[in-house]
Every structure is written in structure tokens, then in C-alpha cells.
């Protein structure tokens, strides 16, 4: 006798939360994500279909395999994963579960997904992020990105959240996480970073960096030496 799992017939697709690293293609024309665990070697787009990471020919998710996309039901559970050292630069994804899925106590394993919103955390220095910059690692054909404030952008490859959303397509929204530091006297009621403000801050950071480089070149040029 073979036991069958109960089948669900939801009127609307389930939703869930997960974390991932934002990615930019080598030629700078596409944006996507890569997972933090089993499927981390395979970047995916906003709308994507899972395949077996072991190369098996069955369709994901298979009951006797752990392939497929994964997410949790509770936003707080996904946010907790961002506390670990290796996941500090990841972003929080709000996803719609599509196609066949297997429900677990804490989440889903499923065949297809649509990423609806990506929430970007603070820069490594603790300041609110206004850009996603080259993180210094990647996958073949893809650069990983990490949140950065205007001061830390420097000359690295960078995208504003709005630019990343445009490249990713499919209606993706990219937002900045609210500032949650205890005792932060600069906190405001509107803690989100508007897209236009992020664009302006990124441009200003680049301008400041170029002005610094020009000043250094000027100091080393004719007549730029110290007099004594």
C-alpha cells in the first residue's frame, strides 16, 4: 500500500521568504540572484524554474530528492539568517510560489517562483545602503553584489537599487531595509530610501571619488610640489 501526500488546491499562489545574493552578469546587461545553500552555484532570474542540482532527470521538486527552490513561511525566520557572518551581504526576497510544491512545517520546496521584492540591508559600515557594488566574488559569468552606502562605493562596479530592478525586469521592486539601530538619533518616520534619493547619492559618491583622484593628480603635477 502506497501512502499519498494530501494535495492542495489554493485559490492564490502561496508566498514565502528567503535570502539570496544579488548578481550582475559579466556584460552588465542582466541582474538576478543566487542562493546561499544547495543551489548557490546556479544564478536565477526574477521568474525562474528549478532544476535538479544533482543533474538527475526528474522534475523538481522530487519527493526523494532535495532539489527545487526553498523558502520559509515566516519573514522573521528568513531575516534571522542574515545575522550569520556569511550571509550579512545577502538580501531578503519576498517570493511567490508557483507550480508544484511540497509543504513543510517551516516552508515550501517548489518548482517555480517569482521574486516580488528584494530588501537590501545596510552597508558593511552600518550606514543605509544606496547602491549594490561588486562584492569581490562571483560565479562563472556573474559578479556578486553587496549593499554599500554612498561613502563606501568608491570606484567599484555599482548599481543603484532602481537600476538593478530595471535590469532584473519582471516587475521586481528593490527597497532599502529600514534603519533599526538602537539609539539612532537620526532615525525618521520615513525610514525607506526613495529610489531617486538613492540614484542621487550614488552619483554624488562617484563625483566625490573622481574629485579626490583629480586632486591627488594635481598635487603630483607641475607646480604641485610643496615649497620650502
Amino acid at each position: 500500500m502506497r501512502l499519498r501526500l494530501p494535495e492542495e488546491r489554493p485559490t492564490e499562489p502561496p508566498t514565502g521568504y528567503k535570502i539570496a545574493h544579488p548578481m550582475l552578469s559579466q556584460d552588465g546587461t542582466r541582474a538576478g540572484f543566487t542562493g546561499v545553500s544547495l543551489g548557490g552555484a546556479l544564478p536565477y532570474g526574477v521568474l525562474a524554474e528549478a532544476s535538479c542540482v544533482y543533474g538527475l532527470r526528474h522534475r523538481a521538486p522530487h519527493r526523494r530528492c532535495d532539489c527545487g527552490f526553498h523558502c520559509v513561511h515566516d519573514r522573521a525566520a528568513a531575516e534571522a539568517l542574515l545575522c550569520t557572518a556569511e550571509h550579512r551581504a545577502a538580501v531578503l526576497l519576498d517570493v511567490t510560489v508557483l507550480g508544484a510544491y511540497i509543504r513543510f512545517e517551516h516552508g515550501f520546496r517548489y518548482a517555480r517562483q517569482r521574486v516580488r521584492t528584494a530588501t537590501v540591508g545596510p552597508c558593511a559600515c552600518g550606514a543605509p545602503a544606496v547602491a549594490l557594488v561588486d562584492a569581490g566574488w562571483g560565479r562563472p559569468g556573474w559578479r556578486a553584489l553587496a549593499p554599500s552606502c554612498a561613502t563606501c562605493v568608491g570606484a567599484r562596479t555599482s548599481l543603484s537599487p532602481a537600476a538593478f530592478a530595471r535590469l532584473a525586469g519582471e516587475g521586481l521592486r528593490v527597497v532599502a531595509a529600514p534603519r533599526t539601530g538602537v539609539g539612532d538619533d537620526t532615525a525618521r518616520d520615513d525610514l525607506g530610501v526613495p529610489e531617486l534619493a538613492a540614484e542621487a547619492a550614488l552619483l554624488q559618491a562617484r563625483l566625490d571619488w573622481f574629485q579626490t583622484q583629480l586632486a591627488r593628480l594635481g598635487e603630483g603635477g607641475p607646480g604641485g610640489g610643496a615649497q620650502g
Side-chain angles (χ1 to χ4, degrees):
M1 182 176 178
R2 187 176 180 181
L3 296 177
R4 296 179 62 87
L5 295 175
E7 293 186 4
E8 297 184 23
R9 302 289 182 180
T11 56
E12 295 183 356
T15 59
Y17 301 92
K18 63 193 299 180
I19 65 172
H21 294 288
M23 307 290 286
L24 178 66
S25 64
Q26 182 179 359
D27 60 7
T29 62
R30 293 175 295 157
F33 304 95
T34 193
V36 298
S37 57
L38 184 64
L42 302 173
Y44 55 84
V46 173
L47 181 62
E49 184 167 350
S51 59
C52 182
V53 296
Y54 302 110
L56 301 178
R57 301 179 67 178
H58 57 240
R59 299 177 65 179
H62 195 276
R63 293 180 185 176
R64 297 183 180 179
C65 187
D66 51 7
C67 59
F69 290 120
H70 296 71
C71 73
V72 294
H73 301 305
D74 185 21
R75 180 187 179 99
E79 288 177 328
L81 299 175
L82 296 172
C83 294
T84 62
E86 63 270 28
H87 298 156
R88 288 291 179 93
V91 298
L92 177 69
L93 303 184
D94 179 348
V95 302
T96 298
V97 174
L98 302 173
Y101 62 83
I102 299 174
R103 181 188 290 270
F104 295 95
E105 179 181 0
H106 299 294
F108 298 100
R109 182 160 61 90
Y110 51 100
R112 299 176 64 238
Q113 72 177 8
R114 178 186 293 276
V115 181
R116 300 186 301 179
T117 305
T119 302
V120 179
C123 176
C125 72
V130 299
L132 293 166
V133 303
D134 190 340
W137 63 275
R139 300 286 183 257
W142 293 84
R143 294 186 180 95
L145 303 177
S148 174
C149 68
T151 302
C152 297
V153 169
R156 290 179 291 174
T157 299
S158 61
L159 290 174
S160 70
F164 182 90
R166 286 194 297 270
L167 288 179
E170 299 289 347
L172 175 70
R173 292 180 60 246
V174 182
V175 299
R179 192 179 306 182
T180 57
V182 176
D184 186 356
D185 294 333
T186 64
R188 310 184 312 273
D189 291 335
D190 55 336
L191 294 174
V193 179
E195 292 183 351
L196 290 178
E199 294 272 13
L202 179 56
L203 291 173
Q204 184 61 52
R206 288 173 172 168
L207 179 60
D208 291 343
W209 183 85
F210 281 118
Q211 289 177 333
T212 300
Q213 300 308 307
L214 287 173
R216 291 176 178 174
L217 290 174
E219 291 174 0
Q227 297 181 5

